[in-house]
Amino acid sequence: MSRLRADHVTSFSQAQSAVSLELFPDTAARSGGVLSVGGVAATELAERFGTPLVVYCRETLVAQARAYRGVDSDALVVYGVKAFPSVGILRLFASEGLGADVSSLGELAFARRAGLEGDRLIVHGNNKSDAELEAAAAADALVVLDSSEEVARAHEARVRRVLVRLTPGVEARTHQSIQTAHDESKFGLDPEQALATLRVALDGLEPVGVHVHIGSQLARPDESLLAIDRLVAFCARARDELAWTPRLVDLGGGLGVAHSPKEDVPDAHTFASALVARFRAGWPEPARLVLEPGRSLVGRAGVTLYRVGATKRSGGVDYVAIDGGMSDNPRPQLYGARYHAILANRDGPAEGAFRIAGKHCETGDVLIERIELPRPRRGDLLAVPATGGYTLAMASNYNALPRPAAVLVAGGEAELLRRRETIDDLLAYEA
Ligand SMILES: Cc1ncc(COP(=O)(O)O)c(C=O)c1O
């Protein structure tokens, strides 16, 4: 389980500081009440790059990549690009030996720009277009077959190596929108269909492996272990009935991230080691494993900085409005996600419980229902931890808000990963 790191405990009086920094990146620290990440003060980042701003800690990204790489020296670790498509982060992960899992032409383009191709590129999708299959073939990527009709289409597109996505009928304990392996899932193939698809694929394609992914934001390995048992049973059937064994076995991603102090999730190494051990114990044949994490690689590495604007009391609730909201982070509305926050420019004892609302034209645009803080004032900076995954990636332009910038920080330096959109960018789409 994630533990409080001693270097995150500061000498400040506010008890909350010590607890809350646990959710922040490895390099997060506070000095004189000012939060810094990667040795750069939040106040300086906000001044230089504007707000909202997503700040990624290089050290945490690297540590998470190494935590996965350390599980099995032979395993291929691919970053689930959907968590945050960023060429800079893909390049960083590639330098740590990671590949990429992509599920659209756009994500594929990001991965290729970062220099990924061949075995280090895995192409997913429950409805791949011809263009996506052709682009996968051009990159000599591994393609994960998601339906039986895809065999002929993959062949047509000159895809060579494929995996079959197995739906093991496992209900992951997570929000139902991000379960992916239950019986009625739109993803993958049940064991009978997967076997039939494999049989057809053996004639003309090169089936190299099998894949499972049961869902996202998982807080425990139990259902993943059950899925692995079913995957092993499937491999045994494929061996017995088709004389085929997988060279590659992709165990998917899915490990969650703690967004608030109430959540407890295993660390990446513990979670992935349990999965790998279960598979190895069940399957005696040689096979290279693939791990496909997204959220757990980037989630805790990212902190979003917002500027506090209007504050008001309404019906007994103390509202604090920030300069972003559901356009830069729709997870509270989509999944009922609960976030935590601290003031990033000053410290002090909690002076009340506040509701952090966005600036959008919906009452539901609430980032945090209730949080104890020193009383926020206009101009303060609010830092929301564990916002590196599925935030900017899911951002919209609701209310014609330009999407925020993202920066990478390390060793006292900050570099732009992605610039802030401008209103001119938005107007440029208009006919
Ligand atoms: C096929 C596949 N692999 C990997 C991932 C990454 O999952 P996560 O970000 O939860 O680790 C996803 C996302 O749900 C996925 O659909």
Side-chain angles (χ1 to χ4, degrees):
M1 295 291 148
S2 54
R3 285 193 314 273
L4 193 66
R5 288 178 300 275
D7 55 326
H8 276 192
V9 181
T10 68
S11 59
F12 292 95
S13 54
Q14 189 188 8
Q16 189 197 12
S17 302
V19 175
S20 58
L21 284 189
E22 185 188 10
L23 302 169
F24 281 77
D26 293 343
T27 59
R30 275 181 119 176
S31 172
V34 175
L35 174 74
S36 65
V37 182
V40 191
T43 42
E44 186 188 325
L45 290 166
E47 200 60 44
R48 182 167 157 209
F49 298 102
T51 55
L53 179 70
V54 188
V55 180
Y56 284 89
C57 167
R58 187 181 204 280
E59 203 171 301
T60 308
L61 293 168
V62 169
Q64 290 303 98
R66 289 182 186 173
Y68 275 106
R69 289 273 287 156
V71 169
D72 175 340
S73 55
D74 181 48
L76 171 67
V77 181
V78 293
Y79 168 48
V81 175
K82 55 187 77 69
F84 178 48
S86 159
V87 174
I89 287 180
L90 276 157
R91 282 194 181 125
L92 177 63
F93 284 154
S95 73
E96 290 292 322
L98 271 59
D101 132 33
V102 299
S103 43
S104 71
L105 207 51
E107 288 182 0
L108 181 66
F110 274 61
R112 292 220 69 182
R113 167 108 28 122
L116 293 167
E117 58 181 14
D119 283 1
R120 285 171 76 186
L121 196 51
I122 299 188
V123 178
H124 281 286
N126 68 312
N127 183 23
K128 300 176 197 73
S129 66
D130 290 345
E132 282 163 348
L133 288 170
E134 282 157 17
D140 197 24
L142 301 163
V143 171
V144 183
L145 298 175
D146 204 283
S147 59
S148 50
E149 55 106 48
E150 214 167 54
V151 175
R153 295 184 53 242
H155 195 260
E156 186 96 337
R158 301 189 187 282
V159 167
R160 213 161 49 89
R161 291 159 311 157
V162 294
L163 289 84
V164 173
R165 179 165 181 165
L166 178 72
T167 307
V170 169
E171 204 166 305
R173 202 172 295 197
T174 186
H175 192 284
Q176 65 177 18
S177 295
I178 45 177
Q179 294 173 331
T180 56
H182 51 295
D183 282 336
E184 290 182 4
S185 173
K186 72 169 181 172
F187 299 104
L189 297 149
D190 70 29
E192 290 306 324
Q193 294 169 329
L195 212 58
T197 301
L198 203 45
R199 185 177 280 115
V200 182
L202 279 163
D203 183 19
L205 293 173
E206 194 187 326
V208 293
V210 57
H211 168 276
V212 282
H213 172 76
I214 69 162
S216 198
Q217 185 57 11
L218 308 177
R220 35 187 279 158
D222 306 39
E223 295 87 30
S224 303
L225 298 177
L226 175 61
I228 287 173
D229 293 344
R230 294 186 180 172
L231 173 75
V232 165
F234 175 79
C235 291
R237 274 192 74 185
R239 179 187 56 198
D240 298 346
E241 295 179 32
L242 303 176
W244 177 88
T245 53
R247 271 203 330 260
L248 278 182
V249 175
D250 188 335
L251 302 180
L255 174 62
V257 163
H259 299 100
S260 81
K262 290 187 195 126
E263 291 174 70
D264 203 6
V265 294
D267 64 71
H269 190 86
T270 304
F271 182 84
S273 298
L275 271 52
V276 167
R278 186 69 152 240
F279 179 75
R280 293 286 182 216
W283 185 245
E285 312 281 349
R288 185 178 190 204
L289 290 176
V290 183
L291 301 169
E292 244 176 20
R295 189 190 310 271
S296 52
L297 282 171
V298 294
R300 194 172 55 81
V303 177
T304 307
L305 299 178
Y306 297 98
R307 190 72 77 179
V308 170
T311 57
K312 71 163 83 150
R313 194 165 170 81
S314 171
V317 175
D318 268 321
Y319 275 95
V320 174
I322 49 169
D323 56 354
M326 63 192 289
S327 59
D328 58 80
N329 183 358
R331 295 192 65 260
Q333 292 74 36
L334 284 173
Y335 313 120
R338 296 283 173 263
Y339 282 93
H340 186 68
I342 60 170
L343 287 189
N345 57 314
R346 62 185 173 91
D347 205 352
E351 293 169 314
F354 301 90
R355 182 170 298 171
I356 311 298
K359 66 183 272 105
H360 293 280
C361 301
E362 286 201 13
T363 296
D365 178 28
V366 170
L367 185 62
I368 303 175
E369 208 61 49
R370 184 183 185 280
I371 182 144
E372 292 187 7
L373 291 169
R375 181 167 289 279
R377 300 188 289 258
R378 177 172 287 278
D380 275 338
L381 275 181
L382 195 78
V384 180
T387 46
Y390 301 97
T391 52
L392 262 192
M394 302 181 102
S396 75
N397 293 118
Y398 181 39
N399 289 138
L401 250 66
R403 290 176 301 166
V407 295
L408 187 67
V409 291
E413 305 281 337
E415 65 178 275
L416 207 53
L417 282 170
R418 151 179 173 164
R419 74 162 170 85
R420 181 174 305 283
E421 273 178 351
T422 62
I423 290 172
D424 281 344
D425 288 333
L426 305 188
L427 286 172
Y429 293 119
E430 296 300 301

